Amino acid sequence: MANASAVVESPVAPVLPDANSAGRLHRRVIIGLALVLIVAPFVVYPVFLMKILCFALFACAFNLLLGYGGLLSFGHAAYFGMASYICAYTAKVWGWPPEVAILAGTLVAALLGLVFGALAIRRQGIYFAMITLALAQMVFFFSVQAKFTGGEDGIQAVPRGRLLGVLNLGDDRALYYFVAVVFMAGLLLIYRVIHSPFGQVLKAIRDNEPRAISLGFRANQYKLLVFVLSTTLAGLAGATKAIVFQLASLTDVNWTMSGEVVLMTLVGGLGTVFGPILGAIVIVSMENYLASLGAWVTVIQGIVFVVCVLLFREGIVGLFSRWLKQPL
Amino acid sequence: MLHGGTAASARPLTISGEGMADDIILSAKGLGRDFKGFTAVGEVDLNVRRGSIHALIGPNGAGKTTCFNLLTKFLQPSRGQIVYNGRNITTMKPADVARLGLVRSFQISAVFGHLSVLENVRIALQRRRGDNFDFWRSEKVVRSLDPDAKALIDAVGLTPYLGTVAVELSYGRKRALEIATTLALEPEMLLLDEPMAGMGHEDVERTSALIRRVSANRTVLMVEHNLSVVASLSDTITVLARGNVLAEGTYESVSKDARVIDAYIGAGHA
């Protein structure tokens, strides 16, 4: 008997690398990313880079909700697109400076997230996804009907303005560095949320909600908070995009945009810190460089998605993470 | 001073032997639950004495788990009321009941699969910080809970697995981790849902000893199939059958009850 139990005790179980070594790796990746962002506009067209950064932030915000909160929202375009409209409108019609217009768009996305989230988190799984989709569709039809959005035309020729009244954002490179700073701030905030006391409870709720409740955590309040954080950051991405392209249109509130962000997150690596960034690079690059193929782009995206899900379900970064045996 | 004196005399302390023995920590009166016309639990009266180990047994489909879920508020009762520590908890939410010190376990082992053993226990200790909504703080602030978490993990013999992801643990160790996590809340009362379910012989003995140890200064109510465990551990046994209480008492008295033998033990030997 004693022998039997000794045999059971002996095998060494796989061990998570300690938090410090993972933290060091993450710090290196983030510093490396910052360096790449500084050099990139000298190599690549800045407007293309800004497009990637906006979508990368959007995907990171979505990943915070799905990858760490376990909540599949299928209506994230509503927050991205509505923030884009608010930012474009306040900057163009009311003449607000770009930083204030972006903040206004972000704030509206946060409020919208608070209202929609409070409704949606009452249900779980597929029902949660369907409620978020239905609410996002309502936002889409509102955007089609409402006067201030300009309907099919959208809001065009949005002035980029001067940042804090000083820096002329009309200059692509100046705007690029502003967008890069916004992106890095968003990424660092998300990183902090994941690695905070709140993030710990969030992951526990994702893994086993009834158990987290039985430990005395009011799961719905945590879910609502992460939902609002996610929609706020999605709004920040959408509002920034409106300044970059000087345009807010129906494309950004359309359900296909909600689908695209799911695609980016899954291709890059769900539940990894850096996966959605890579996913955004892959998807946006495909749209850009394969634009001559017209509607075939979506077919190719579909194939990439299917291949990705079949061959490496954890996404590109998830695959690296497995090789390195470190969470990324 | 005078005021204090009158208050004390108005509310006599219940340190006398009689008072302690009759001290009921959890009681249910006429508790019942219907599922679309099907009565899972009819009208159950249950009184759990403070400091005792109370077992809830019964044949399959007797309503044990439903009853258990009603008491922990994971199900809303169709009728009846539940009083815990003199407080009516009938309409409270499960997370709030847990905050009062009434903590449950689950039949299938309930661990947080993608978190390490250390993090699993630390999550429960984070309850000490109240609500953990501080998403702007570094997780370094919860590392101060590590020594306490490690002590709890050591108590259930999982120290070699501190950094292991919970999904990788064997079944018995998951249950041990679950117990360590539950104990981290320092609950006044534990509700264990079939703590021995799916365990091998040795694990049963180890877990029995663990339950006995943790019950030292708290109350335990458990649903359990393993009769020898029930016989050796519990002070009081309530037998349920078809959603109602059939008998209640010590193992000796209950096991001699003709109705119990007929409904439960008899069926098992048939």
Side-chain angles (χ1 to χ4, degrees):
Chain A
M1 278 312 222
N3 272 339
S5 69
V7 170
V8 176
E9 296 295 334
S10 62
V12 180
V15 167
L16 267 186
D18 67 302
N20 289 328
S21 76
R24 267 198 302 276
L25 177 67
H26 291 169
R27 205 167 303 146
R28 284 195 200 124
V29 174
I30 288 171
I31 291 171
L33 194 63
L35 293 176
V36 168
L37 285 180
I38 291 171
V39 182
F42 298 100
V43 185
V44 189
Y45 180 46
V47 176
F48 174 63
L49 285 174
M50 287 189 274
K51 186 177 180 186
I52 286 179
L53 288 178
C54 289
F55 280 107
L57 180 56
F58 184 29
C60 285
F62 176 80
N63 179 49
L64 173 64
L65 186 63
L66 179 58
Y68 296 93
L71 296 167
L72 172 59
S73 158
F74 209 78
H76 251 47
Y79 319 105
F80 184 74
M82 189 45 75
S84 175
Y85 275 130
I86 298 295
C87 174
Y89 188 85
T90 53
K92 186 183 178 185
V93 182
W94 294 349
W96 287 10
E99 68 277 4
V100 181
I102 288 175
L103 276 180
T106 309
L107 199 66
V108 168
L111 289 174
L112 205 58
L114 183 65
V115 176
F116 286 5
L119 288 168
I121 55 158
R122 290 159 189 271
R123 290 291 172 266
Q124 284 162 346
I126 190 73
Y127 302 103
F128 174 86
M130 288 299 115
I131 291 172
T132 53
L133 174 62
L135 292 168
Q137 286 303 91
M138 286 166 58
V139 170
F140 176 77
F141 287 112
F142 170 77
S143 305
V144 172
Q145 297 296 329
K147 277 240 160 54
F148 86 95
T149 61
E152 296 284 339
D153 300 329
I155 304 172
Q156 296 178 6
V158 178
R160 282 180 174 177
R162 284 175 174 275
L163 183 66
L164 302 169
V166 186
L167 188 66
N168 180 14
L169 294 183
D171 175 42
D172 274 353
R173 201 156 286 170
L175 181 62
Y176 167 81
Y177 283 113
F178 169 66
V179 173
V181 167
V182 168
F183 167 79
M184 280 309 282
L187 180 68
L188 288 174
L189 174 63
I190 289 170
Y191 188 80
R192 175 44 67 84
V193 171
I194 294 167
H195 297 92
S196 68
F198 169 76
Q200 284 288 325
V201 179
L202 194 64
K203 284 178 248 178
I205 292 171
R206 174 198 65 191
D207 280 2
N208 193 335
E209 188 175 341
R211 178 56 171 165
I213 292 172
S214 85
L215 295 180
F217 292 107
R218 294 168 179 141
N220 275 353
Q221 296 181 4
Y222 290 85
K223 289 203 252 178
L224 183 58
L225 179 51
V226 73
F227 193 87
V228 172
L229 285 170
S230 175
T231 62
T232 306
L233 287 161
L236 177 62
T240 309
K241 183 173 175 272
I243 295 290
V244 171
F245 288 98
Q246 304 182 278
L247 171 75
S249 73
L250 285 175
T251 322
D252 294 342
V253 274
N254 202 345
W255 66 271
T256 52
M257 186 59 75
S258 300
E260 209 159 294
V261 76
V262 178
L263 197 67
M264 289 173 190
T265 308
L266 290 182
V267 167
L270 177 66
T272 63
V273 178
F274 306 107
I277 303 171
L278 197 61
I281 294 173
V282 170
I283 301 295
V284 174
S285 302
M286 273 167 59
E287 280 170 11
N288 229 57
Y289 293 114
L290 303 179
S292 55
L293 298 177
W296 283 98
V297 174
T298 43
V299 176
I300 294 169
Q301 277 179 353
I303 293 169
V304 167
F305 180 65
V306 170
V307 168
C308 203
V309 169
L310 286 179
L311 292 184
F312 40 97
R313 280 200 331 169
E314 62 272 70
I316 302 167
V317 171
L319 206 62
F320 280 122
S321 170
R322 188 146 50 110
W323 279 337
L324 292 172
K325 295 187 171 59
Q326 290 269 19
L328 274 171
Chain B
M1 284 297 268
L2 262 170
H3 258 86
T6 36
S9 59
R11 227 160 34 103
L13 296 166
T14 50
I15 300 179
S16 63
E18 276 294 312
M20 276 301 268
D22 292 337
D23 188 6
I24 302 297
I25 183 166
L26 181 73
S27 83
K29 281 189 191 64
L31 194 64
R33 167 78 194 207
D34 306 325
F35 293 105
K36 290 183 178 162
F38 167 71
T39 303
V41 176
E43 275 193 20
V44 167
D45 291 320
L46 191 71
N47 288 300
V48 182
R49 270 184 299 118
R50 190 182 301 279
S52 69
I53 301 184
H54 194 127
L56 206 56
I57 65 171
N60 281 331
K64 301 182 298 288
T65 297
T66 307
C67 196
F68 192 86
N69 284 333
L70 288 173
L71 291 171
T72 51
K73 306 307 306 148
F74 275 68
L75 273 177
Q76 280 302 319
S78 306
R79 63 195 150 269
Q81 72 165 359
I82 308 162
V83 175
Y84 171 70
N85 262 339
R87 191 165 172 176
N88 188 342
I89 60 165
T90 315
T91 55
M92 281 177 83
K93 291 213 167 76
D96 297 326
V97 172
R99 287 172 181 215
L100 293 177
L102 182 69
V103 177
R104 69 166 287 174
S105 74
F106 292 82
Q107 211 175 95
I108 42 160
S109 74
V111 295
F112 303 118
H114 296 94
L115 302 184
S116 69
V117 166
L118 180 67
E119 286 172 320
N120 262 272
V121 176
R122 204 171 56 191
I123 285 288
L125 291 173
Q126 276 181 237
R127 282 281 312 114
R128 286 185 194 161
R129 310 176 66 238
D131 282 319
N132 286 265
F133 294 135
D134 40 357
F135 60 82
W136 57 89
R137 280 213 186 89
S138 162
E139 65 188 335
K140 288 196 183 96
V141 297
V142 295
R143 297 219 180 121
S144 61
L145 301 168
D146 282 0
D148 286 359
K150 283 176 182 162
L152 285 157
I153 290 164
D154 195 45
V156 296
L158 286 178
T159 303
Y161 303 94
L162 269 184
T164 308
V165 202
V167 273
E168 310 272 5
L169 293 174
S170 71
Y171 186 76
R173 293 205 181 91
K174 275 185 191 151
R175 300 235 66 153
L177 173 58
E178 193 189 332
I179 290 170
T181 308
T182 305
L183 291 180
L185 296 176
E186 294 173 16
E188 198 181 353
M189 180 168 182
L190 281 174
L191 291 103
L192 307 175
D193 192 0
E194 298 199 21
M196 310 297 175
M199 275 191 189
H201 212 71
E202 288 172 17
D203 280 338
V204 166
E205 274 164 36
R206 210 189 315 156
T207 312
S208 276
L210 196 59
I211 291 176
R212 200 188 304 276
R213 205 165 77 216
V214 304
S215 69
N217 40 18
R218 47 177 67 94
T219 314
V220 174
L221 173 68
M222 62 177 181
V223 169
E224 184 49 59
H225 268 303
N226 190 325
L227 281 184
S228 66
V229 169
V230 170
S232 71
L233 274 180
S234 30
D235 305 308
T236 314
I237 295 169
T238 300
V239 186
L240 288 181
R242 293 196 200 91
N244 287 295
V245 176
L246 202 61
E248 191 172 282
T250 60
Y251 185 75
E252 285 72 34
S253 72
V254 164
S255 61
K256 288 193 188 92
D257 193 302
R259 291 166 304 168
V260 174
I261 294 168
D262 187 41
Y264 186 77
I265 303 169
H269 286 267

